[in-house]
Structures are given as structure tokens and as C-alpha cells.
Amino acid sequence: MASLSSLCSSSPSLKPTKPAASLPKTILNPTSLPFPTRSTKPLAVAAQSVAREIAADSSKSVPAKPKKGLEKDPQALWRRYVDWLYQHKELGLYLDVSRIGFTDEFFREMEPRFQQSFDAMEDLEKGAIANPDEGRMVGHYWLRNSELTPTPFLKTQIESTLDRICSFADEIVSGKIKPPASEAGRFTQIMAVGIGGSALGPQFVAEALAPDNPPLKIRFIDNTDPAGIDHQIAQLGSELASTLVIVTSKSGGTPETRNGLLEVQKAFREAGLDFAKQGVAITQENSLLDNTARIEGWLARFPMFDWVGGRTSEMSAVGLLPAALQGIDIREMLTGGALMDEATRSRDLRNNPAALLALCWYWASDGVGSKDMVVLPYKDSLLLFSRYLQQLVMESIGKEFDLDGNRVNQGLTVYGNKGSTDQHAYIQQLRDGVHNFFVTFIEVLRDRPPGHDWELEPGVTCGDYLFGMLQGTRSALYANDRESVSVTVEEVTPRSVGALIALYERAVGLYASLVNINAYHQPGVEAGKKAAGEVLALQKRVLAVLNEASCKDPVEPLTLEEVADRCHAPEDIEMIYKIIAHMAANDRAVVAEGHCGSPHSIKVYLGECNVDALY
Ligand SMILES: O=P(O)(O)OC[C@H]1O[C@](O)(CO)[C@@H](O)[C@@H]1O
């Protein structure tokens, strides 16, 4: 394979053997993706002070945060713990906010603002257009309780989709629906292709809940990294023949997902397998993916609803189908979500765990994201919870404008991995270093299934160590004025996982409403997608220019400046250099002569002329 250094060789002997005629014809349709424009007010002051200015408006005032240290007296702290402890008995879930230092005065001042957020949430659940930029309803709560839908049609859609998911999963697991060309006689593997909200929920749930030997094992293609895709496909080996491929994309046009699908289809072709008989699409009706699956006659298609966002889609077909295929009790997940939804509809702030979380986020990050949220689950199976929350929180809260069009640059940074592992990585900095975060501990009371525990030293189990590490870290951080929230569940079960997802979905919604932003769109991501499309469009122009010069007799090697001029893109010369370097590193028929350290000296041409492409 040619490397970047070979790009800069002065020897023409590096001429690639690949004929120019085989140059890629299309890479990605660079059509502009929708990027809603907004009316903006002049950027007169820095974002945070603007947020505070808005807050100075009496209806949205941000209570001043008193500059006093955290409570350290053990008796007073114990009283605070007991006073504020939230418990959901049926779910076996607890929320401890005592290690966040908000004052009674702050709580009183925030209370009326929460009442406004509860109003907005009630409207949302009744079917208001809660995503104004996209003109959409926001209905992920209905997935757990179809009685709440604003129309009987939506109720039927939810219920019939759930029934179809259950029966399809049963038929696959039982072998009633068989892969056409596998000796196994039934599907054994799932290859899930999707990205963002079309991958993170299923990944989190698989890691949290899949049994050790699930009926179908799941793996993911969640990127357009060719080596990563090759690795996933290679690991399937001959089991490709018994792999159910689930392609998930709400929009049905996400380039990374499309590429993953094309790569998997190629692997099927090469193995002599009929992809359509093993392919399942989860997408909006009439999307590009839906139409492809319908025309090609894929095994099954499941709907994604317009009113469910990608990052809140875990309890739609997106999450439920793969979960059911892995033998996870999806109705229990839905019950957990529904019970939590009920609890988080309470207008009593002290008894609403999502509101308490939003209150803590507001206090800890001054309502402007001034501190990051470090999520530390002390349970390996919850490893991906922080990654899941990263999208849920950051894609929802990280917004440039508020709902009134003011530039606010809101956000709440989320990162984390798991305890106690992270204690041997970055907790040193959390305890002693820059004070720019608060922690969310996730605690699981049950260490192991009953009957499996043993004492590895007198009176102490392995799980006791994990418990000790969590409690020790929480105390050590607090002693150094580092605040934390603790969420405790008794066990990691479909019910508790459903409840955790619902808890955070609601906390995000309430928090977004408090800071007056639209939690349900993602205009910033669209900007990146559009820019990527433009790079690939430029690459096609570069190839066309190089091809024309390479078809001359004699071949006309071009400087980067000449390529840029002929592409009518002199301002993009750096990008053109990167495009050429990338193609040269990938045996793409590009010959570049010159010196690596001085791009101006480089002359470029193609190894062979593609006459067809000239006309
Ligand atoms: O499901 P889709 O439409 O392929 O989108 C995948 C992800 O891409 C995003 O739109 C961001 O680009 C996420 O919000 C979404 O979850």
C-alpha cells in the first residue's frame, strides 16, 4: 500500500498498477442535507453572560449560587441524605442528591420554573409540536404507554409494531424463519448496522442485559471505517450464512449506515448468499432505506416513527427488536420505562427523580454547562451507559440558540467509563486537579446472582471491594468539594435498565425546558454532514481535473496550485492536498512527485487515463 511518504517520492517508479479506468465513479451523493437556518441576534456578549442576561428576566431568573462550601458536618450531612433521598419502591431505584450542594433558597427559587417545565412536558405528552424547528411531535413516552397517544391511529401503530416485533423475534429464535443457506438451520448472529441513536441504545442494552449465551449474538457496524467493517465481517466467518442483518436508520439516508450496508451486501455477494433473505430494515416509511428494502424484497421491515428521535428510540423497534432477538424481556424494559415515566410526571419536585436530576445539573453547572458530568457506573455491564448518555444529553442540550433565537451556546458535557477501573486512570485528576465536573455514580446493589457469591478473604467478597471503591471515591471527592449524584438500582434487569433510560430521557427534557432550548433537533450535526459531502464533491472534481491532464499526450503533471485553479477552488488548496494524500495512501492511481515537506513542489497525475470519464 502506498504511504504518505511515497506520495512525496521524486521517483516516478511509484506509479500505481491500478488502471485509471477503475477509479471510483461515485463516493457519496454530495447533495446538501437540510440545515435549518435561524434568525440570529447580534453576538454582542459572550455566551454565558447572554444566558445570564436572559436569566435576569424575572420569569427565567437564575438563582444566585451562594459561595459557601459543602456541608461537612457528619450529622448534618446524614440529615441531608435522609431528607433528600428519593426512592421508587416498585423499581428498587434510589436517587441521592445530598452530595450536590444546592441550598433551600435555590430550591425555592427554582420551584416555579420547574412548574413551567412540567407544563411544557404535559403539552409535549399531549402531542404539542415540541420540536418546533422540525415541526414534529415528540412521543417517545407513548412507546411505553400507548394510552397516552393523541390519536387512536398512533396507539394502533405502537401496539401492532410491538406485536410484530415479538412474533418476528419468536419466529427467528425458534427457527421457524430460517436462513436460506445455512447448515445451522436457524439464525445465530445479528449484524446491526446503524450509527448514533440507531446504534448506541442497542449497544448499551446488549452489554447490560444480553445473557451469556443469547439465542442470537449481536455485533455492530457503527462507522464508515473500512477496516472496522472488515473486522466485524471477518469475525462472522462462515456464520455469515446464519446472520440476520438489521439496518437501522431513521432518516434512511445516513451515509455511514448506507456504506455499512453496501459493504455487508458485498460480503454476501462474495459468499454467494442472497442478502435480501437475511436483511431487516428499521426506518421511517418511504425513506430511501425503506424503499430499497421493499424493492429488493428484504425479509422484514419495521417502522421508525417521525415523532421518535434517534437518541430516544431505544424503546422503539430500534432497540426492542435486537433486544428481543437476544432473549431480553422487552416487555419488562417497557414496564420499567412506564413506571419511571409515571414517577417523573409528578409535579412535586422533591418526589420527581428526573426533576431532581435536572435541578442538580442546573446547580452544578450554573445552568450554562460550566461543569462536566462524569458518569461512573460501578458495574461492568453498564459500561456503555456513559456513552449512551453522552449522545442523549449532549446532542439534546448542546445548542447554539435558545428557543427565542438568542445565541446561548448551551451544553452539558458527559463522559465516563466505569468504576472502579477509572480509579486507576483519571480519578486522580478528579480528586486533586482542575475542578470542572460533577460525578454521577451508578450503583448496583446486587453483586452477583444469588448463590454464586463467596468470600475471597474473611468476611469480604469481591463485590464488597467494588462497593468500597465506590463509597470511598464518593467520600474522597466530596471531602475535596467535588459534588456528586448517586443513582442506585437493586439489580441490572430489563426493568431497571428501562427505568434508567426513561429517567434520563425525562431529566434531559426538563433541563432543556429550564434553559429554554429545543432538545429534540441537532442542527450542528447537519453542518458536519454537509461539509463532509462537500469534501467528497471536491474529490470528484480533483479526480476529473487530474484525469483530463493525465489523458494528454504527453501526460501533464499538475502542481497543487494548478489543480486548485482548475477545480475553481483556489481557497481549498489545503483540502486538495489532503485529498491527494489520502488517495495516494490508498492505491488510488494517483502519482505524486516532489518533496513531502514542501507541498508546493509536488506534481500530480494519474497512473492511467480514463477516456470514458472525459465525456
Ligand atoms: O437514524 P439515522 O437517521 O441514520 O441517524 C443516526 C444519527 O444521526 C444523527 O442524526 C446525527 O447525525 C443522530 O441524531 C441520529 O441518531
Side-chain angles (χ1 to χ4, degrees):
M1 188 171 74
S3 66
L4 181 57
S5 56
S6 68
L7 160 73
C8 302
S9 159
S10 53
S11 153
S13 65
L14 279 169
K15 210 170 180 174
T17 50
K18 191 174 173 188
S22 67
L23 286 174
K25 294 240 162 34
T26 52
I27 310 288
L28 171 77
N29 184 350
T31 49
S32 300
L33 291 155
F35 183 40
T37 51
R38 308 200 41 136
S39 65
T40 62
K41 290 192 175 169
L43 216 187
V45 272
Q48 292 195 355
S49 42
V50 175
R52 289 186 198 289
E53 255 179 37
I54 299 161
D57 173 312
S58 60
S59 64
K60 298 172 184 161
S61 71
V62 182
K65 197 168 164 178
K67 290 202 181 350
K68 71 171 196 176
L70 297 173
E71 180 62 69
K72 296 287 166 52
D73 171 60
Q75 286 308 320
L77 204 48
W78 167 240
R79 277 195 303 278
R80 184 172 172 81
Y81 177 82
V82 173
D83 281 355
W84 282 98
L85 185 65
Y86 169 85
Q87 181 193 6
H88 192 301
K89 285 207 177 89
E90 205 176 340
L91 284 169
L93 180 145
Y94 306 76
L95 173 65
D96 160 29
V97 297
S98 65
R99 264 53 173 185
I100 296 281
F102 60 81
T103 58
D104 291 347
E105 187 195 359
F106 175 81
F107 179 81
R108 273 195 305 276
E109 289 181 37
M110 290 297 283
E111 227 282 329
R113 293 190 46 198
F114 268 96
Q115 292 307 324
Q116 288 176 10
S117 300
F118 295 143
D119 288 343
M121 191 55 85
E122 276 179 20
D123 290 346
L124 176 149
E125 287 205 295
K126 283 183 192 144
I129 299 297
N131 179 356
D133 291 46
E134 297 176 0
R136 284 178 165 148
M137 297 189 290
V138 173
H140 47 272
Y141 302 111
W142 309 332
L143 298 168
R144 280 91 77 155
N145 181 355
S146 59
E147 299 297 330
L148 295 173
T149 53
T151 68
F153 173 71
L154 297 182
K155 179 172 168 0
T156 312
Q157 259 192 328
I158 292 171
E159 290 169 1
S160 63
T161 304
L162 182 58
D163 288 345
R164 277 190 56 222
I165 289 169
C166 293
S167 53
F168 181 76
D170 280 350
E171 287 178 336
I172 292 283
V173 170
S174 66
K176 195 169 167 201
I177 301 178
K178 295 184 196 338
S182 164
E183 281 168 17
R186 64 173 194 87
F187 285 99
T188 59
Q189 298 274 344
I190 304 165
M191 177 67 87
V193 185
I195 196 166
S198 292
L200 287 159
Q203 286 169 331
F204 162 49
V205 166
E207 189 77 21
L209 296 174
D212 293 341
N213 290 303
L216 279 83
K217 289 197 183 107
I218 194 163
R219 55 181 62 251
F220 293 88
I221 292 178
D222 66 352
N223 200 358
T224 185
D225 172 14
I229 294 171
D230 291 348
H231 179 64
Q232 291 302 330
I233 294 173
Q235 288 199 322
L236 285 173
S238 61
E239 276 190 275
L240 189 66
S242 59
T243 297
L244 189 71
V245 182
I246 303 179
V247 186
T248 305
S249 172
K250 178 178 176 180
S251 61
T254 301
E256 293 93 328
T257 303
R258 185 208 67 151
N259 295 357
L261 166 63
L262 294 181
E263 295 274 359
V264 172
Q265 284 181 322
K266 175 172 169 278
F268 270 73
R269 273 196 307 279
E270 286 171 359
L273 297 167
D274 180 357
F275 175 84
K277 301 255 169 20
Q278 297 179 223
V280 176
I282 303 177
T283 184
Q284 286 193 111
E285 212 180 331
N286 286 326
S287 73
L288 183 60
L289 173 61
D290 190 42
N291 291 335
T292 307
R294 184 166 36 77
I295 291 162
E296 293 180 1
W298 292 15
L299 180 58
R301 292 180 290 133
F302 290 90
M304 258 193 104
F305 307 121
D306 170 71
W307 37 268
V308 175
R311 54 189 171 275
T312 51
S313 64
E314 175 48 34
M315 283 188 249
S316 72
V318 173
L320 296 181
L321 179 63
L325 289 164
Q326 291 168 88
I328 296 166
D329 187 339
I330 59 173
R331 291 202 189 262
E332 269 295 285
M333 273 177 72
L334 291 166
T335 300
L339 285 169
M340 182 53 76
D341 287 341
E342 226 172 279
T344 54
R345 273 183 205 115
S346 168
R347 298 189 72 109
D348 173 6
L349 182 42
R350 289 182 83 107
N351 276 313
N352 180 331
L356 285 173
L357 277 181
L359 180 84
C360 292
W361 298 355
Y362 201 106
W363 167 269
S365 77
D366 301 315
V368 292
S370 61
K371 291 224 167 80
D372 304 342
M373 176 157 74
V374 182
V375 179
L376 284 176
Y378 276 66
K379 184 56 69 183
D380 285 2
S381 64
L382 297 181
L383 168 75
L384 296 181
F385 193 41
S386 44
R387 204 191 287 178
Y388 171 77
L389 287 182
Q390 202 167 51
Q391 185 205 22
L392 177 64
V393 176
M394 294 178 75
E395 205 167 67
S396 302
I397 306 296
K399 299 292 156 70
E400 186 171 11
F401 298 103
D402 71 9
L403 284 165
D404 301 321
N406 301 295
R407 191 185 296 270
V408 289
N409 295 109
Q410 265 293 351
L412 182 58
T413 304
V414 177
Y415 66 92
N417 183 35
K418 64 174 181 178
S420 70
T421 310
D422 291 352
Q423 240 151 293
H424 303 274
Y426 59 79
I427 286 183
Q428 162 62 30
Q429 176 173 318
L430 298 194
R431 169 65 167 69
D432 293 343
V434 57
H435 188 172
N436 60 353
F437 69 93
F438 64 101
V439 174
T440 299
F441 292 104
I442 310 284
E443 180 188 28
V444 179
L445 292 181
R446 164 72 67 187
D447 293 330
R448 273 193 168 126
H452 287 74
D453 229 348
W454 67 288
E455 292 180 356
L456 41 71
E457 56 191 71
V460 182
T461 66
C462 196
D464 293 340
Y465 269 93
L466 190 66
F467 165 78
M469 295 295 180
L470 190 166
Q471 299 307 332
T473 304
R474 173 173 171 270
S475 303
L477 289 176
Y478 190 76
N480 224 13
D481 289 327
R482 272 63 173 158
E483 294 169 293
S484 64
V485 169
S486 295
V487 180
T488 301
V489 291
E490 284 169 4
E491 286 183 71
V492 179
T493 60
R495 187 177 281 224
S496 64
V497 167
L500 281 174
I501 290 171
L503 172 63
Y504 277 87
E505 283 177 352
R506 185 83 68 169
V508 166
L510 291 173
Y511 184 82
S513 165
L514 282 180
V515 299
N516 193 36
I517 51 129
N518 178 355
Y520 308 107
H521 68 165
Q522 52 283 328
V525 192
E526 304 305 329
K529 285 185 194 170
K530 187 169 171 245
E534 284 162 6
V535 171
L536 295 173
L538 179 61
Q539 174 169 312
K540 285 187 197 168
R541 272 150 59 205
V542 169
L543 276 172
V545 162
L546 289 179
N547 188 49
E548 202 178 323
S550 306
C551 286
K552 289 196 174 142
D553 192 10
V555 170
E556 183 191 8
L558 299 177
T559 64
L560 290 175
E561 284 79 4
E562 286 166 339
V563 178
D565 276 351
R566 292 185 194 190
C567 286
H568 307 293
E571 69 287 358
D572 288 330
I573 188 159
E574 183 178 327
M575 188 58 76
I576 288 170
Y577 171 67
K578 286 174 188 285
I579 287 169
I580 288 171
H582 178 248
M583 287 197 294
N586 284 283
D587 314 324
R588 300 278 288 283
V590 172
V591 181
E593 296 169 356
H595 295 289
C596 197
S598 74
H600 286 297
S601 70
I602 291 172
K603 289 211 158 192
V604 198
Y605 58 95
L606 297 184
E608 276 182 37
C609 144
N610 178 3
V611 180
D612 293 345
L614 289 177
Y615 307 104

